[in-house]
Amino acid sequence: MNPIRLLLRMATKGLLHFLRLAPRLSVRLAGRISGNGKLAAYASRPWMVQRLGNALLNNGILIAQLNVTNACNEKCPMCNLWEEGSRMPLDRARLCLDRIAELGAFILTITGGEPFTHPDIGEIIDYARDKQFFLNLNTNASLPLKVYRRADLNKIDLAIVSFHAMDERKLARITGVGNTLPRVLETLRYFRDETSMRVILKFVVQRDNAD
C-alpha cells in the first residue's frame, strides 16, 4: 500500500478512536482547530459523538429513520401515506427510540406523514433528544403556527421542509390543499427567527413546478 495512503488511514482510525474514547474533548478540539464554535456545543451530547465514532470505525449504523405517523394534512399525489392516517403510540415510539440508540445510530430522522399531526410529537422530540441523536425532522410547515410552538424545536438539529412551489396555485395543485403558502412562510420565519434549528428546503420536481 502507498505509504501516504497508509498514514492517512492510520490517522483517520486514530481520530475515530479519539471520538469514541474522549467525545467531549474531541469536539472541543475540533471546534477550536476549525474555528467552528458550534462544534463545541456537541460536548454536551457525548453519547452522540461516541456513536459517530463507533459507527464510522466499525461500519455500524450511521443514519436511522422513525416514521411516527402516516397521517398528513396534505394530499400530495407523489405520496400515498396520507391515505392510511395511522399513528405510532407514544410508548411504542419510545421503545423504538431505545432500540435505535442501542443499535448505535448517530443521526435520527423523525418523519411521517406529517410528524406534527402526531398529538405526542413534543414528547417524542424530547425523548429522542434525551437519547442524544443528531436529530432531523421532516415537515411541510403548513400547519397553524401554534402547533409548532407546542414542541421545543431547539432540540432539533435540522428541519427538512417539503416546499414544492412558491406560487399559491401551484402549491395547492401539488399538495391538494389551498391557502397554505402564507402559513408556510410564517412558519419558516418562525423557524429562522425563534429557533436554533438549521433549515433546508426540499421539493419534488414535477410538471406543476418545473417552470
PDB file of all heavy atoms in Angstrom, residues 36-71:
ATOM      1  N   ASN A  36     -14.952  26.631  14.188  1.00  0.00           N
ATOM      2  CA  ASN A  36     -16.406  26.484  14.208  1.00  0.00           C
ATOM      3  C   ASN A  36     -16.857  26.314  15.662  1.00  0.00           C
ATOM      4  O   ASN A  36     -16.784  25.213  16.219  1.00  0.00           O
ATOM      5  CB  ASN A  36     -16.838  25.281  13.363  1.00  0.00           C
ATOM      6  CG  ASN A  36     -18.345  25.144  13.255  1.00  0.00           C
ATOM      7  OD1 ASN A  36     -19.105  25.819  13.957  1.00  0.00           O
ATOM      8  ND2 ASN A  36     -18.797  24.281  12.372  1.00  0.00           N
ATOM      9  N   GLY A  37     -17.313  27.394  16.277  1.00  0.00           N
ATOM     10  CA  GLY A  37     -17.706  27.353  17.674  1.00  0.00           C
ATOM     11  C   GLY A  37     -18.894  26.457  17.958  1.00  0.00           C
ATOM     12  O   GLY A  37     -19.078  26.006  19.087  1.00  0.00           O
ATOM     13  N   LYS A  38     -19.696  26.170  16.927  1.00  0.00           N
ATOM     14  CA  LYS A  38     -20.881  25.338  17.139  1.00  0.00           C
ATOM     15  C   LYS A  38     -20.515  23.894  17.467  1.00  0.00           C
ATOM     16  O   LYS A  38     -21.279  23.189  18.111  1.00  0.00           O
ATOM     17  CB  LYS A  38     -21.773  25.376  15.899  1.00  0.00           C
ATOM     18  CG  LYS A  38     -22.422  26.733  15.655  1.00  0.00           C
ATOM     19  CD  LYS A  38     -23.337  26.707  14.452  1.00  0.00           C
ATOM     20  CE  LYS A  38     -24.009  28.055  14.234  1.00  0.00           C
ATOM     21  NZ  LYS A  38     -24.900  28.038  13.052  1.00  0.00           N
ATOM     22  N   LEU A  39     -19.347  23.457  17.022  1.00  0.00           N
ATOM     23  CA  LEU A  39     -18.948  22.079  17.298  1.00  0.00           C
ATOM     24  C   LEU A  39     -18.790  21.829  18.791  1.00  0.00           C
ATOM     25  O   LEU A  39     -19.104  20.747  19.288  1.00  0.00           O
ATOM     26  CB  LEU A  39     -17.631  21.757  16.586  1.00  0.00           C
ATOM     27  CG  LEU A  39     -17.696  21.544  15.076  1.00  0.00           C
ATOM     28  CD1 LEU A  39     -16.308  21.352  14.509  1.00  0.00           C
ATOM     29  CD2 LEU A  39     -18.578  20.345  14.749  1.00  0.00           C
ATOM     30  N   ALA A  40     -18.321  22.842  19.517  1.00  0.00           N
ATOM     31  CA  ALA A  40     -18.110  22.672  20.955  1.00  0.00           C
ATOM     32  C   ALA A  40     -19.409  22.371  21.687  1.00  0.00           C
ATOM     33  O   ALA A  40     -19.398  21.743  22.752  1.00  0.00           O
ATOM     34  CB  ALA A  40     -17.441  23.913  21.536  1.00  0.00           C
ATOM     35  N   ALA A  41     -20.534  22.816  21.125  1.00  0.00           N
ATOM     36  CA  ALA A  41     -21.829  22.569  21.768  1.00  0.00           C
ATOM     37  C   ALA A  41     -22.151  21.084  21.839  1.00  0.00           C
ATOM     38  O   ALA A  41     -22.905  20.645  22.712  1.00  0.00           O
ATOM     39  CB  ALA A  41     -22.943  23.306  21.017  1.00  0.00           C
ATOM     40  N   TYR A  42     -21.567  20.299  20.938  1.00  0.00           N
ATOM     41  CA  TYR A  42     -21.835  18.862  20.949  1.00  0.00           C
ATOM     42  C   TYR A  42     -21.162  18.154  22.116  1.00  0.00           C
ATOM     43  O   TYR A  42     -21.422  16.967  22.354  1.00  0.00           O
ATOM     44  CB  TYR A  42     -21.391  18.230  19.629  1.00  0.00           C
ATOM     45  CG  TYR A  42     -22.172  18.721  18.437  1.00  0.00           C
ATOM     46  CD1 TYR A  42     -21.534  19.031  17.239  1.00  0.00           C
ATOM     47  CD2 TYR A  42     -23.547  18.891  18.508  1.00  0.00           C
ATOM     48  CE1 TYR A  42     -22.248  19.489  16.143  1.00  0.00           C
ATOM     49  CE2 TYR A  42     -24.267  19.350  17.419  1.00  0.00           C
ATOM     50  CZ  TYR A  42     -23.617  19.642  16.241  1.00  0.00           C
ATOM     51  OH  TYR A  42     -24.329  20.094  15.157  1.00  0.00           O
ATOM     52  N   ALA A  43     -20.308  18.864  22.852  1.00  0.00           N
ATOM     53  CA  ALA A  43     -19.697  18.261  24.037  1.00  0.00           C
ATOM     54  C   ALA A  43     -20.747  17.907  25.088  1.00  0.00           C
ATOM     55  O   ALA A  43     -20.521  17.039  25.930  1.00  0.00           O
ATOM     56  CB  ALA A  43     -18.672  19.214  24.640  1.00  0.00           C
ATOM     57  N   SER A  44     -21.912  18.538  25.023  1.00  0.00           N
ATOM     58  CA  SER A  44     -22.989  18.223  25.970  1.00  0.00           C
ATOM     59  C   SER A  44     -23.741  16.957  25.567  1.00  0.00           C
ATOM     60  O   SER A  44     -24.627  16.506  26.291  1.00  0.00           O
ATOM     61  CB  SER A  44     -23.984  19.393  26.051  1.00  0.00           C
ATOM     62  OG  SER A  44     -24.632  19.597  24.801  1.00  0.00           O
ATOM     63  N   ARG A  45     -23.386  16.376  24.409  1.00  0.00           N
ATOM     64  CA  ARG A  45     -24.015  15.139  23.946  1.00  0.00           C
ATOM     65  C   ARG A  45     -22.948  14.090  23.641  1.00  0.00           C
ATOM     66  O   ARG A  45     -22.766  13.678  22.503  1.00  0.00           O
ATOM     67  CB  ARG A  45     -24.878  15.421  22.710  1.00  0.00           C
ATOM     68  CG  ARG A  45     -26.138  16.207  23.031  1.00  0.00           C
ATOM     69  CD  ARG A  45     -27.070  16.244  21.828  1.00  0.00           C
ATOM     70  NE  ARG A  45     -26.781  17.362  20.975  1.00  0.00           N
ATOM     71  CZ  ARG A  45     -27.376  17.551  19.783  1.00  0.00           C
ATOM     72  NH1 ARG A  45     -28.254  16.686  19.343  1.00  0.00           N
ATOM     73  NH2 ARG A  45     -27.083  18.605  19.055  1.00  0.00           N
ATOM     74  N   PRO A  46     -22.227  13.656  24.670  1.00  0.00           N
ATOM     75  CA  PRO A  46     -21.113  12.729  24.426  1.00  0.00           C
ATOM     76  C   PRO A  46     -21.538  11.399  23.832  1.00  0.00           C
ATOM     77  O   PRO A  46     -20.781  10.804  23.050  1.00  0.00           O
ATOM     78  CB  PRO A  46     -20.499  12.551  25.821  1.00  0.00           C
ATOM     79  CG  PRO A  46     -21.611  12.883  26.776  1.00  0.00           C
ATOM     80  CD  PRO A  46     -22.386  13.972  26.100  1.00  0.00           C
ATOM     81  N   TRP A  47     -22.730  10.882  24.192  1.00  0.00           N
ATOM     82  CA  TRP A  47     -23.178   9.611  23.614  1.00  0.00           C
ATOM     83  C   TRP A  47     -23.292   9.725  22.095  1.00  0.00           C
ATOM     84  O   TRP A  47     -22.961   8.795  21.366  1.00  0.00           O
ATOM     85  CB  TRP A  47     -24.523   9.184  24.191  1.00  0.00           C
ATOM     86  CG  TRP A  47     -24.522   8.900  25.656  1.00  0.00           C
ATOM     87  CD1 TRP A  47     -23.431   8.721  26.461  1.00  0.00           C
ATOM     88  CD2 TRP A  47     -25.664   8.772  26.489  1.00  0.00           C
ATOM     89  NE1 TRP A  47     -23.823   8.504  27.754  1.00  0.00           N
ATOM     90  CE2 TRP A  47     -25.202   8.524  27.805  1.00  0.00           C
ATOM     91  CE3 TRP A  47     -27.026   8.839  26.277  1.00  0.00           C
ATOM     92  CZ2 TRP A  47     -26.054   8.348  28.885  1.00  0.00           C
ATOM     93  CZ3 TRP A  47     -27.894   8.661  27.341  1.00  0.00           C
ATOM     94  CH2 TRP A  47     -27.402   8.412  28.633  1.00  0.00           C
ATOM     95  N   MET A  48     -23.792  10.882  21.632  1.00  0.00           N
ATOM     96  CA  MET A  48     -23.958  11.091  20.205  1.00  0.00           C
ATOM     97  C   MET A  48     -22.604  11.037  19.503  1.00  0.00           C
ATOM     98  O   MET A  48     -22.443  10.388  18.467  1.00  0.00           O
ATOM     99  CB  MET A  48     -24.630  12.438  19.946  1.00  0.00           C
ATOM    100  CG  MET A  48     -24.889  12.753  18.488  1.00  0.00           C
ATOM    101  SD  MET A  48     -25.460  14.451  18.226  1.00  0.00           S
ATOM    102  CE  MET A  48     -23.899  15.344  18.345  1.00  0.00           C
ATOM    103  N   VAL A  49     -21.614  11.706  20.085  1.00  0.00           N
ATOM    104  CA  VAL A  49     -20.276  11.737  19.486  1.00  0.00           C
ATOM    105  C   VAL A  49     -19.651  10.343  19.516  1.00  0.00           C
ATOM    106  O   VAL A  49     -19.022   9.910  18.543  1.00  0.00           O
ATOM    107  CB  VAL A  49     -19.386  12.760  20.222  1.00  0.00           C
ATOM    108  CG1 VAL A  49     -17.996  12.793  19.594  1.00  0.00           C
ATOM    109  CG2 VAL A  49     -20.013  14.152  20.180  1.00  0.00           C
ATOM    110  N   GLN A  50     -19.843   9.623  20.610  1.00  0.00           N
ATOM    111  CA  GLN A  50     -19.325   8.252  20.696  1.00  0.00           C
ATOM    112  C   GLN A  50     -19.944   7.359  19.626  1.00  0.00           C
ATOM    113  O   GLN A  50     -19.255   6.538  19.006  1.00  0.00           O
ATOM    114  CB  GLN A  50     -19.607   7.669  22.082  1.00  0.00           C
ATOM    115  CG  GLN A  50     -18.682   8.176  23.169  1.00  0.00           C
ATOM    116  CD  GLN A  50     -19.024   7.574  24.525  1.00  0.00           C
ATOM    117  OE1 GLN A  50     -20.181   7.314  24.832  1.00  0.00           O
ATOM    118  NE2 GLN A  50     -18.007   7.354  25.334  1.00  0.00           N
ATOM    119  N   ARG A  51     -21.256   7.504  19.416  1.00  0.00           N
ATOM    120  CA  ARG A  51     -21.919   6.669  18.403  1.00  0.00           C
ATOM    121  C   ARG A  51     -21.393   6.977  17.009  1.00  0.00           C
ATOM    122  O   ARG A  51     -21.282   6.087  16.163  1.00  0.00           O
ATOM    123  CB  ARG A  51     -23.440   6.859  18.473  1.00  0.00           C
ATOM    124  CG  ARG A  51     -24.082   6.175  19.658  1.00  0.00           C
ATOM    125  CD  ARG A  51     -25.559   5.933  19.438  1.00  0.00           C
ATOM    126  NE  ARG A  51     -26.303   7.154  19.304  1.00  0.00           N
ATOM    127  CZ  ARG A  51     -26.978   7.739  20.293  1.00  0.00           C
ATOM    128  NH1 ARG A  51     -26.966   7.199  21.503  1.00  0.00           N
ATOM    129  NH2 ARG A  51     -27.654   8.842  20.091  1.00  0.00           N
ATOM    130  N   LEU A  52     -21.064   8.251  16.759  1.00  0.00           N
ATOM    131  CA  LEU A  52     -20.475   8.615  15.467  1.00  0.00           C
ATOM    132  C   LEU A  52     -19.149   7.894  15.279  1.00  0.00           C
ATOM    133  O   LEU A  52     -18.892   7.287  14.227  1.00  0.00           O
ATOM    134  CB  LEU A  52     -20.273  10.123  15.383  1.00  0.00           C
ATOM    135  CG  LEU A  52     -19.505  10.631  14.159  1.00  0.00           C
ATOM    136  CD1 LEU A  52     -20.228  10.263  12.875  1.00  0.00           C
ATOM    137  CD2 LEU A  52     -19.291  12.139  14.248  1.00  0.00           C
ATOM    138  N   GLY A  53     -18.299   7.943  16.312  1.00  0.00           N
ATOM    139  CA  GLY A  53     -17.015   7.254  16.215  1.00  0.00           C
ATOM    140  C   GLY A  53     -17.176   5.768  16.024  1.00  0.00           C
ATOM    141  O   GLY A  53     -16.508   5.150  15.178  1.00  0.00           O
ATOM    142  N   ASN A  54     -18.078   5.161  16.784  1.00  0.00           N
ATOM    143  CA  ASN A  54     -18.311   3.721  16.671  1.00  0.00           C
ATOM    144  C   ASN A  54     -18.836   3.343  15.297  1.00  0.00           C
ATOM    145  O   ASN A  54     -18.413   2.343  14.700  1.00  0.00           O
ATOM    146  CB  ASN A  54     -19.299   3.263  17.739  1.00  0.00           C
ATOM    147  CG  ASN A  54     -18.659   3.159  19.109  1.00  0.00           C
ATOM    148  OD1 ASN A  54     -17.480   2.880  19.220  1.00  0.00           O
ATOM    149  ND2 ASN A  54     -19.444   3.388  20.147  1.00  0.00           N
ATOM    150  N   ALA A  55     -19.790   4.128  14.794  1.00  0.00           N
ATOM    151  CA  ALA A  55     -20.408   3.808  13.505  1.00  0.00           C
ATOM    152  C   ALA A  55     -19.382   3.865  12.377  1.00  0.00           C
ATOM    153  O   ALA A  55     -19.343   2.999  11.501  1.00  0.00           O
ATOM    154  CB  ALA A  55     -21.568   4.764  13.224  1.00  0.00           C
ATOM    155  N   LEU A  56     -18.536   4.889  12.383  1.00  0.00           N
ATOM    156  CA  LEU A  56     -17.545   5.034  11.319  1.00  0.00           C
ATOM    157  C   LEU A  56     -16.412   4.025  11.471  1.00  0.00           C
ATOM    158  O   LEU A  56     -15.872   3.528  10.477  1.00  0.00           O
ATOM    159  CB  LEU A  56     -16.992   6.459  11.320  1.00  0.00           C
ATOM    160  CG  LEU A  56     -17.995   7.556  10.962  1.00  0.00           C
ATOM    161  CD1 LEU A  56     -17.356   8.933  11.120  1.00  0.00           C
ATOM    162  CD2 LEU A  56     -18.531   7.384   9.548  1.00  0.00           C
ATOM    163  N   LEU A  57     -16.071   3.716  12.703  1.00  0.00           N
ATOM    164  CA  LEU A  57     -14.948   2.805  12.954  1.00  0.00           C
ATOM    165  C   LEU A  57     -15.318   1.360  12.660  1.00  0.00           C
ATOM    166  O   LEU A  57     -14.503   0.576  12.177  1.00  0.00           O
ATOM    167  CB  LEU A  57     -14.502   2.948  14.405  1.00  0.00           C
ATOM    168  CG  LEU A  57     -13.156   2.340  14.810  1.00  0.00           C
ATOM    169  CD1 LEU A  57     -12.013   2.971  14.013  1.00  0.00           C
ATOM    170  CD2 LEU A  57     -12.928   2.537  16.302  1.00  0.00           C
ATOM    171  N   ASN A  58     -16.561   0.999  12.942  1.00  0.00           N
ATOM    172  CA  ASN A  58     -16.975  -0.412  12.861  1.00  0.00           C
ATOM    173  C   ASN A  58     -17.980  -0.678  11.746  1.00  0.00           C
ATOM    174  O   ASN A  58     -18.649  -1.718  11.758  1.00  0.00           O
ATOM    175  CB  ASN A  58     -17.576  -0.848  14.202  1.00  0.00           C
ATOM    176  CG  ASN A  58     -16.598  -0.671  15.346  1.00  0.00           C
ATOM    177  OD1 ASN A  58     -15.443  -1.060  15.239  1.00  0.00           O
ATOM    178  ND2 ASN A  58     -17.050  -0.075  16.438  1.00  0.00           N
ATOM    179  N   ASN A  59     -18.107   0.262  10.796  1.00  0.00           N
ATOM    180  CA  ASN A  59     -19.091   0.113   9.724  1.00  0.00           C
ATOM    181  C   ASN A  59     -20.486  -0.128  10.291  1.00  0.00           C
ATOM    182  O   ASN A  59     -21.238  -0.990   9.816  1.00  0.00           O
ATOM    183  CB  ASN A  59     -18.704  -1.029   8.781  1.00  0.00           C
ATOM    184  CG  ASN A  59     -17.434  -0.745   8.018  1.00  0.00           C
ATOM    185  OD1 ASN A  59     -17.224   0.379   7.555  1.00  0.00           O
ATOM    186  ND2 ASN A  59     -16.569  -1.734   7.900  1.00  0.00           N
ATOM    187  N   GLY A  60     -20.813   0.630  11.336  1.00  0.00           N
ATOM    188  CA  GLY A  60     -22.100   0.474  12.004  1.00  0.00           C
ATOM    189  C   GLY A  60     -23.180   1.339  11.377  1.00  0.00           C
ATOM    190  O   GLY A  60     -23.035   1.868  10.267  1.00  0.00           O
ATOM    191  N   ILE A  61     -24.276   1.488  12.103  1.00  0.00           N
ATOM    192  CA  ILE A  61     -25.420   2.259  11.618  1.00  0.00           C
ATOM    193  C   ILE A  61     -25.149   3.743  11.818  1.00  0.00           C
ATOM    194  O   ILE A  61     -24.937   4.200  12.940  1.00  0.00           O
ATOM    195  CB  ILE A  61     -26.702   1.856  12.367  1.00  0.00           C
ATOM    196  CG1 ILE A  61     -27.015   0.388  12.120  1.00  0.00           C
ATOM    197  CG2 ILE A  61     -27.879   2.729  11.942  1.00  0.00           C
ATOM    198  CD1 ILE A  61     -28.147  -0.137  12.958  1.00  0.00           C
ATOM    199  N   LEU A  62     -25.161   4.487  10.736  1.00  0.00           N
ATOM    200  CA  LEU A  62     -24.908   5.924  10.821  1.00  0.00           C
ATOM    201  C   LEU A  62     -26.207   6.715  10.872  1.00  0.00           C
ATOM    202  O   LEU A  62     -26.338   7.666  11.634  1.00  0.00           O
ATOM    203  CB  LEU A  62     -24.069   6.378   9.623  1.00  0.00           C
ATOM    204  CG  LEU A  62     -23.527   7.807   9.666  1.00  0.00           C
ATOM    205  CD1 LEU A  62     -22.576   7.987  10.842  1.00  0.00           C
ATOM    206  CD2 LEU A  62     -22.819   8.133   8.351  1.00  0.00           C
ATOM    207  N   ILE A  63     -27.195   6.295  10.078  1.00  0.00           N
ATOM    208  CA  ILE A  63     -28.447   7.046   9.940  1.00  0.00           C
ATOM    209  C   ILE A  63     -29.629   6.117  10.140  1.00  0.00           C
ATOM    210  O   ILE A  63     -29.659   5.012   9.592  1.00  0.00           O
ATOM    211  CB  ILE A  63     -28.545   7.710   8.549  1.00  0.00           C
ATOM    212  CG1 ILE A  63     -27.347   8.633   8.305  1.00  0.00           C
ATOM    213  CG2 ILE A  63     -29.846   8.485   8.415  1.00  0.00           C
ATOM    214  CD1 ILE A  63     -27.277   9.170   6.890  1.00  0.00           C
ATOM    215  N   ALA A  64     -30.604   6.557  10.922  1.00  0.00           N
ATOM    216  CA  ALA A  64     -31.849   5.812  11.116  1.00  0.00           C
ATOM    217  C   ALA A  64     -33.026   6.754  10.910  1.00  0.00           C
ATOM    218  O   ALA A  64     -32.888   7.975  11.005  1.00  0.00           O
ATOM    219  CB  ALA A  64     -31.906   5.201  12.515  1.00  0.00           C
ATOM    220  N   GLN A  65     -34.167   6.178  10.623  1.00  0.00           N
ATOM    221  CA  GLN A  65     -35.388   6.956  10.392  1.00  0.00           C
ATOM    222  C   GLN A  65     -36.544   6.337  11.152  1.00  0.00           C
ATOM    223  O   GLN A  65     -36.693   5.120  11.180  1.00  0.00           O
ATOM    224  CB  GLN A  65     -35.692   6.986   8.892  1.00  0.00           C
ATOM    225  CG  GLN A  65     -36.941   7.777   8.523  1.00  0.00           C
ATOM    226  CD  GLN A  65     -37.063   7.975   7.032  1.00  0.00           C
ATOM    227  OE1 GLN A  65     -36.254   8.663   6.417  1.00  0.00           O
ATOM    228  NE2 GLN A  65     -38.083   7.366   6.429  1.00  0.00           N
ATOM    229  N   LEU A  66     -37.335   7.186  11.780  1.00  0.00           N
ATOM    230  CA  LEU A  66     -38.508   6.713  12.513  1.00  0.00           C
ATOM    231  C   LEU A  66     -39.748   7.414  11.969  1.00  0.00           C
ATOM    232  O   LEU A  66     -39.882   8.632  12.058  1.00  0.00           O
ATOM    233  CB  LEU A  66     -38.358   7.009  14.016  1.00  0.00           C
ATOM    234  CG  LEU A  66     -39.525   6.545  14.895  1.00  0.00           C
ATOM    235  CD1 LEU A  66     -39.654   5.021  14.852  1.00  0.00           C
ATOM    236  CD2 LEU A  66     -39.347   7.019  16.338  1.00  0.00           C
ATOM    237  N   ASN A  67     -40.644   6.611  11.395  1.00  0.00           N
ATOM    238  CA  ASN A  67     -41.907   7.133  10.873  1.00  0.00           C
ATOM    239  C   ASN A  67     -42.934   7.076  11.996  1.00  0.00           C
ATOM    240  O   ASN A  67     -43.405   5.992  12.344  1.00  0.00           O
ATOM    241  CB  ASN A  67     -42.357   6.298   9.672  1.00  0.00           C
ATOM    242  CG  ASN A  67     -43.578   6.861   8.988  1.00  0.00           C
ATOM    243  OD1 ASN A  67     -44.384   7.544   9.608  1.00  0.00           O
ATOM    244  ND2 ASN A  67     -43.732   6.569   7.719  1.00  0.00           N
ATOM    245  N   VAL A  68     -43.279   8.218  12.581  1.00  0.00           N
ATOM    246  CA  VAL A  68     -44.164   8.231  13.745  1.00  0.00           C
ATOM    247  C   VAL A  68     -45.636   8.295  13.364  1.00  0.00           C
ATOM    248  O   VAL A  68     -46.512   8.046  14.197  1.00  0.00           O
ATOM    249  CB  VAL A  68     -43.822   9.393  14.696  1.00  0.00           C
ATOM    250  CG1 VAL A  68     -42.422   9.230  15.251  1.00  0.00           C
ATOM    251  CG2 VAL A  68     -43.979  10.749  14.015  1.00  0.00           C
ATOM    252  N   THR A  69     -45.919   8.628  12.106  1.00  0.00           N
ATOM    253  CA  THR A  69     -47.315   8.697  11.667  1.00  0.00           C
ATOM    254  C   THR A  69     -47.389   8.664  10.150  1.00  0.00           C
ATOM    255  O   THR A  69     -46.472   9.130   9.459  1.00  0.00           O
ATOM    256  CB  THR A  69     -47.995   9.983  12.176  1.00  0.00           C
ATOM    257  OG1 THR A  69     -49.355  10.010  11.731  1.00  0.00           O
ATOM    258  CG2 THR A  69     -47.299  11.238  11.678  1.00  0.00           C
ATOM    259  N   ASN A  70     -48.467   8.120   9.638  1.00  0.00           N
ATOM    260  CA  ASN A  70     -48.770   8.233   8.209  1.00  0.00           C
ATOM    261  C   ASN A  70     -49.788   9.335   7.942  1.00  0.00           C
ATOM    262  O   ASN A  70     -50.081   9.639   6.786  1.00  0.00           O
ATOM    263  CB  ASN A  70     -49.292   6.913   7.666  1.00  0.00           C
ATOM    264  CG  ASN A  70     -48.201   5.867   7.551  1.00  0.00           C
ATOM    265  OD1 ASN A  70     -47.027   6.202   7.428  1.00  0.00           O
ATOM    266  ND2 ASN A  70     -48.569   4.600   7.608  1.00  0.00           N
ATOM    267  N   ALA A  71     -50.342   9.907   8.999  1.00  0.00           N
ATOM    268  CA  ALA A  71     -51.319  10.989   8.841  1.00  0.00           C
ATOM    269  C   ALA A  71     -50.632  12.239   8.294  1.00  0.00           C
ATOM    270  O   ALA A  71     -49.482  12.525   8.624  1.00  0.00           O
ATOM    271  CB  ALA A  71     -51.984  11.302  10.177  1.00  0.00           C
TER     272      ALA A  71
END
